[in-house]
Amino acid sequence: MRLLPRRSRAGSPDAGPPEADTEASEAGAREAEASEAGAREAEASEAGAREAEASETEAGEAEASETEAGAAEASEAGARGAAPVIEFRGVGLTYPGPPPVEALHPCDLVVRRGEFITVVGPSGSGKSTFLNVAGLLDSPTSGRYLLDGIDTAALPDRERTALRGRRIGFVFQSFHLLPHRSALENVTLAMLYTGIPRAQRLVRAREALDQVGLGHRAGAVPGRLSGGERQRVAIARALVGRPSLLLCDEPTGNLDSANAASVLGLLDDLHRSGMTVLVITHDLEVARRGRRTVTIRDGRLHL
């Protein structure tokens, strides 16, 4: 005789009690809820991590910006407390006539070590006269001019020339490079009459070219260089004597906008490294690069 499986009250074979099914269903629901809650917590945790990362990035950028601003302020504050490189005390220049021409009216000016000064004015305003006096190319007819604390009026011509060679580096609108000499030779020749041994002159010339970013072009002649590169060689030549003052006359006047921006960037870098820079220009965009701007008009300085 075949035995049939025993049925439960619910009518299904071997079914457990209804309470067990209910408990299992509730347990599954609780597990599902716990899983959803865990997923929500994970999403919240990821969102919090992203917010924290963004906050740290913003804080880092703000700190970097504050650091740069602080460095610029510290540099300017240091310049304000530094010793004067140029000091005009009632300096003026009158060319004899007839009639006499007062090319530079008596003026006072102090340029301290580490400053970046621009002198701006239109053509015929007296910029060239100011350059000639500041560069010890002309002697003032009134007042006193102190360069690094030395009263230049008291010096004979030979000593003035020697002082100019040691303390001032010139950069002109025209590069004034010897066309058949390499960049290295053009820079080296600036030290020809300094008494520095030739081997040391070569070392210093290479260092100056490296300083202006042209170490790799040391063997190139000017005809193989761009306008911006030729002006950089001229700046290296001005720097090689390690002057107190870099005196620039329209240094971007013969350059296109890209090369002009490159040369101005170099002047900014030199200023940040501690060099005293004085740029004479008619270009207001160039003038804005200075930390302080002096205007000259009709031979009068306006500080």
mmCIF file of all heavy atoms in Angstrom, residues 49-72:
data_model
loop_
_atom_site.group_PDB
_atom_site.id
_atom_site.type_symbol
_atom_site.label_atom_id
_atom_site.label_comp_id
_atom_site.label_asym_id
_atom_site.label_seq_id
_atom_site.Cartn_x
_atom_site.Cartn_y
_atom_site.Cartn_z
ATOM 1 N N ALA A 49 33.042 63.260 1.840
ATOM 2 C CA ALA A 49 34.466 63.227 1.459
ATOM 3 C C ALA A 49 34.735 64.210 0.327
ATOM 4 O O ALA A 49 35.742 64.917 0.313
ATOM 5 C CB ALA A 49 34.856 61.803 1.046
ATOM 6 N N ARG A 50 33.775 64.245 -0.677
ATOM 7 C CA ARG A 50 33.963 65.190 -1.783
ATOM 8 C C ARG A 50 33.932 66.631 -1.295
ATOM 9 O O ARG A 50 34.714 67.474 -1.724
ATOM 10 C CB ARG A 50 32.874 64.962 -2.843
ATOM 11 C CG ARG A 50 33.078 63.706 -3.676
ATOM 12 C CD ARG A 50 32.184 63.714 -4.901
ATOM 13 N NE ARG A 50 30.763 63.682 -4.539
ATOM 14 C CZ ARG A 50 30.055 62.580 -4.387
ATOM 15 N NH1 ARG A 50 30.636 61.395 -4.531
ATOM 16 N NH2 ARG A 50 28.770 62.642 -4.075
ATOM 17 N N GLU A 51 33.005 66.930 -0.387
ATOM 18 C CA GLU A 51 32.930 68.291 0.160
ATOM 19 C C GLU A 51 34.200 68.639 0.925
ATOM 20 O O GLU A 51 34.733 69.754 0.815
ATOM 21 C CB GLU A 51 31.720 68.409 1.084
ATOM 22 C CG GLU A 51 30.388 68.422 0.348
ATOM 23 C CD GLU A 51 29.224 68.528 1.310
ATOM 24 O OE1 GLU A 51 29.477 68.665 2.532
ATOM 25 O OE2 GLU A 51 28.065 68.467 0.865
ATOM 26 N N ALA A 52 34.708 67.689 1.696
ATOM 27 C CA ALA A 52 35.940 67.941 2.464
ATOM 28 C C ALA A 52 37.116 68.179 1.529
ATOM 29 O O ALA A 52 37.936 69.080 1.746
ATOM 30 C CB ALA A 52 36.222 66.750 3.390
ATOM 31 N N GLU A 53 37.171 67.357 0.442
ATOM 32 C CA GLU A 53 38.265 67.529 -0.517
ATOM 33 C C GLU A 53 38.194 68.882 -1.197
ATOM 34 O O GLU A 53 39.202 69.584 -1.366
ATOM 35 C CB GLU A 53 38.201 66.411 -1.555
ATOM 36 C CG GLU A 53 39.362 66.429 -2.545
ATOM 37 C CD GLU A 53 39.302 65.260 -3.510
ATOM 38 O OE1 GLU A 53 38.475 64.344 -3.293
ATOM 39 O OE2 GLU A 53 40.082 65.275 -4.476
ATOM 40 N N ALA A 54 36.953 69.267 -1.608
ATOM 41 C CA ALA A 54 36.782 70.583 -2.242
ATOM 42 C C ALA A 54 37.155 71.698 -1.284
ATOM 43 O O ALA A 54 37.802 72.688 -1.659
ATOM 44 C CB ALA A 54 35.328 70.744 -2.699
ATOM 45 N N SER A 55 36.758 71.550 -0.019
ATOM 46 C CA SER A 55 37.081 72.568 0.980
ATOM 47 C C SER A 55 38.584 72.685 1.178
ATOM 48 O O SER A 55 39.140 73.786 1.262
ATOM 49 C CB SER A 55 36.400 72.214 2.305
ATOM 50 O OG SER A 55 36.727 73.147 3.304
ATOM 51 N N GLU A 56 39.277 71.517 1.222
ATOM 52 C CA GLU A 56 40.733 71.543 1.391
ATOM 53 C C GLU A 56 41.410 72.193 0.194
ATOM 54 O O GLU A 56 42.364 72.954 0.331
ATOM 55 C CB GLU A 56 41.254 70.118 1.575
ATOM 56 C CG GLU A 56 40.911 69.508 2.930
ATOM 57 C CD GLU A 56 41.424 68.080 3.049
ATOM 58 O OE1 GLU A 56 42.096 67.612 2.107
ATOM 59 O OE2 GLU A 56 41.162 67.450 4.074
ATOM 60 N N THR A 57 40.885 71.881 -1.036
ATOM 61 C CA THR A 57 41.460 72.483 -2.242
ATOM 62 C C THR A 57 41.300 73.996 -2.225
ATOM 63 O O THR A 57 42.240 74.743 -2.507
ATOM 64 C CB THR A 57 40.773 71.907 -3.498
ATOM 65 O OG1 THR A 57 40.970 70.492 -3.514
ATOM 66 C CG2 THR A 57 41.365 72.512 -4.765
ATOM 67 N N GLU A 58 40.074 74.468 -1.892
ATOM 68 C CA GLU A 58 39.842 75.918 -1.827
ATOM 69 C C GLU A 58 40.725 76.563 -0.773
ATOM 70 O O GLU A 58 41.282 77.642 -0.994
ATOM 71 C CB GLU A 58 38.370 76.189 -1.516
ATOM 72 C CG GLU A 58 37.433 75.838 -2.663
ATOM 73 C CD GLU A 58 35.979 76.033 -2.283
ATOM 74 O OE1 GLU A 58 35.736 76.479 -1.146
ATOM 75 O OE2 GLU A 58 35.105 75.746 -3.118
ATOM 76 N N ALA A 59 40.847 75.884 0.368
ATOM 77 C CA ALA A 59 41.693 76.438 1.438
ATOM 78 C C ALA A 59 43.142 76.503 0.987
ATOM 79 O O ALA A 59 43.854 77.477 1.254
ATOM 80 C CB ALA A 59 41.564 75.580 2.696
ATOM 81 N N GLY A 60 43.589 75.453 0.249
ATOM 82 C CA GLY A 60 44.974 75.455 -0.229
ATOM 83 C C GLY A 60 45.224 76.562 -1.231
ATOM 84 O O GLY A 60 46.252 77.240 -1.188
ATOM 85 N N GLU A 61 44.238 76.751 -2.166
ATOM 86 C CA GLU A 61 44.394 77.824 -3.154
ATOM 87 C C GLU A 61 44.395 79.190 -2.469
ATOM 88 O O GLU A 61 45.171 80.077 -2.817
ATOM 89 C CB GLU A 61 43.264 77.750 -4.176
ATOM 90 C CG GLU A 61 43.358 76.528 -5.093
ATOM 91 C CD GLU A 61 42.161 76.420 -6.014
ATOM 92 O OE1 GLU A 61 41.207 77.210 -5.823
ATOM 93 O OE2 GLU A 61 42.176 75.558 -6.904
ATOM 94 N N ALA A 62 43.503 79.364 -1.497
ATOM 95 C CA ALA A 62 43.452 80.645 -0.773
ATOM 96 C C ALA A 62 44.756 80.885 -0.029
ATOM 97 O O ALA A 62 45.287 82.005 -0.018
ATOM 98 C CB ALA A 62 42.274 80.639 0.202
ATOM 99 N N GLU A 63 45.303 79.805 0.561
ATOM 100 C CA GLU A 63 46.558 79.954 1.310
ATOM 101 C C GLU A 63 47.707 80.304 0.376
ATOM 102 O O GLU A 63 48.550 81.151 0.685
ATOM 103 C CB GLU A 63 46.854 78.652 2.046
ATOM 104 C CG GLU A 63 48.085 78.731 2.949
ATOM 105 C CD GLU A 63 48.307 77.444 3.731
ATOM 106 O OE1 GLU A 63 47.389 76.595 3.757
ATOM 107 O OE2 GLU A 63 49.394 77.306 4.298
ATOM 108 N N ALA A 64 47.715 79.651 -0.816
ATOM 109 C CA ALA A 64 48.773 79.955 -1.786
ATOM 110 C C ALA A 64 48.676 81.400 -2.251
ATOM 111 O O ALA A 64 49.680 82.107 -2.375
ATOM 112 C CB ALA A 64 48.669 79.013 -2.989
ATOM 113 N N SER A 65 47.429 81.866 -2.508
ATOM 114 C CA SER A 65 47.235 83.251 -2.933
ATOM 115 C C SER A 65 47.690 84.226 -1.856
ATOM 116 O O SER A 65 48.351 85.226 -2.132
ATOM 117 C CB SER A 65 45.759 83.475 -3.262
ATOM 118 O OG SER A 65 45.521 84.808 -3.621
ATOM 119 N N GLU A 66 47.334 83.899 -0.603
ATOM 120 C CA GLU A 66 47.753 84.759 0.504
ATOM 121 C C GLU A 66 49.272 84.764 0.640
ATOM 122 O O GLU A 66 49.882 85.791 0.948
ATOM 123 C CB GLU A 66 47.114 84.281 1.798
ATOM 124 C CG GLU A 66 45.617 84.561 1.884
ATOM 125 C CD GLU A 66 44.994 83.966 3.142
ATOM 126 O OE1 GLU A 66 45.761 83.389 3.945
ATOM 127 O OE2 GLU A 66 43.778 84.076 3.311
ATOM 128 N N THR A 67 49.901 83.595 0.394
ATOM 129 C CA THR A 67 51.357 83.519 0.495
ATOM 130 C C THR A 67 52.014 84.399 -0.555
ATOM 131 O O THR A 67 52.962 85.134 -0.280
ATOM 132 C CB THR A 67 51.817 82.057 0.319
ATOM 133 O OG1 THR A 67 51.226 81.273 1.358
ATOM 134 C CG2 THR A 67 53.340 81.957 0.397
ATOM 135 N N GLU A 68 51.496 84.324 -1.825
ATOM 136 C CA GLU A 68 52.065 85.160 -2.886
ATOM 137 C C GLU A 68 51.874 86.642 -2.568
ATOM 138 O O GLU A 68 52.784 87.451 -2.747
ATOM 139 C CB GLU A 68 51.392 84.818 -4.218
ATOM 140 C CG GLU A 68 51.778 83.443 -4.752
ATOM 141 C CD GLU A 68 51.056 83.131 -6.044
ATOM 142 O OE1 GLU A 68 50.319 84.016 -6.535
ATOM 143 O OE2 GLU A 68 51.226 82.016 -6.562
ATOM 144 N N ALA A 69 50.662 86.995 -2.126
ATOM 145 C CA ALA A 69 50.403 88.402 -1.783
ATOM 146 C C ALA A 69 51.308 88.842 -0.639
ATOM 147 O O ALA A 69 51.848 89.952 -0.655
ATOM 148 C CB ALA A 69 48.931 88.586 -1.406
ATOM 149 N N GLY A 70 51.486 87.961 0.348
ATOM 150 C CA GLY A 70 52.354 88.297 1.476
ATOM 151 C C GLY A 70 53.792 88.479 1.049
ATOM 152 O O GLY A 70 54.487 89.385 1.527
ATOM 153 N N ALA A 71 54.243 87.629 0.099
ATOM 154 C CA ALA A 71 55.618 87.758 -0.386
ATOM 155 C C ALA A 71 55.816 89.082 -1.115
ATOM 156 O O ALA A 71 56.829 89.760 -0.947
ATOM 157 C CB ALA A 71 55.960 86.594 -1.318
ATOM 158 N N ALA A 72 54.796 89.458 -1.943
ATOM 159 C CA ALA A 72 54.888 90.741 -2.656
ATOM 160 C C ALA A 72 54.899 91.914 -1.682
ATOM 161 O O ALA A 72 55.695 92.850 -1.826
ATOM 162 C CB ALA A 72 53.710 90.886 -3.626
#
